[in-house]
Amino acid sequence: MSIILYGVPLSPYVRKVRVCLAHKQLDYKLEIVSPFNQPDWFLELNPLGRIPALKDDELSLADSSVICQYLDEKYPNSASLLGDTIEQRAAVRWLEKYADYELAPFATFTVFQQRIIAPTMQKPTDEALVQSALNEKLPPLFDYLEDYLGDNEFFVGESLTLADIAVSCQLMNMEHGGEQLDESRWPNLAALHSRVKQGTAMHTMLEGEQKILASLK
Ligand SMILES: N[C@@H](CCC(=O)N[C@@H](CS)C(=O)NCC(=O)O)C(=O)O
């Protein structure tokens, strides 16, 4: 078995795959490919030019959801991250999509992008855009997740799934952008994020991410 993951650690989608790989205790090599101006060879792995992509021996895959589902099914050596029943698996897919396509535009592609990435490209931070994401766009999305979660330990079932990981990965980028989830307003969601962050799979890689973040600043 030889797994290569292509991308950068600060991408929430790359982080999702890394947490999944760590959960499955799979060895892999992280080959750094930036989301900007990828080399031509990378477009053969993902013609859309987005990270992450993954190679497992002869197989190459793109898209974090596709990759995580593949890893879960190919290596059933630990508890499934996809849910146990058909109903649970549907709920996990919904919440993962919600995180990847609804939270991401604001948590990652606005707060993180504007505060951390834009300055590295000599572009000014559009703080009005950040404030609109924080005050108008994200709160209703967090309200929905807070209600969905209730006082359960995990979004779906009794153990960690890709739903928890995907949501937490987006919150992590918001945090990297200097914004914590308000725990007085969304206490269950904040507690879930904190649990996922402290889990060994995520915890071990956050130290490395903090170093990269410090170097960018
Ligand atoms: N749905 C994709 C989203 C991946 C994605 O948007 N990655 C960003 C980096 S965080 C990227 O590569 N952006 C470059 C681009 O869109 O050209 C996934 O889950 O893998």
Side-chain angles (χ1 to χ4, degrees), residues 11-13 16 35 38 48-52 63-65 100-101 109:
S11 156
Y13 304 104
K16 194 207 304 175
Q38 292 99 350
L48 302 176
R50 297 195 188 114
I51 55 166
D63 191 280
S64 62
S65 297
D100 288 1
Y101 293 93
F109 297 119

Side-chain angles (χ1 to χ4, degrees), residues 29-43:
K29 181 176 161 224
L30 177 66
E31 192 160 322
I32 299 298
V33 173
S34 153
F36 314 108
N37 305 318
Q38 292 99 350
D40 286 346
W41 60 260
F42 182 76
L43 298 180

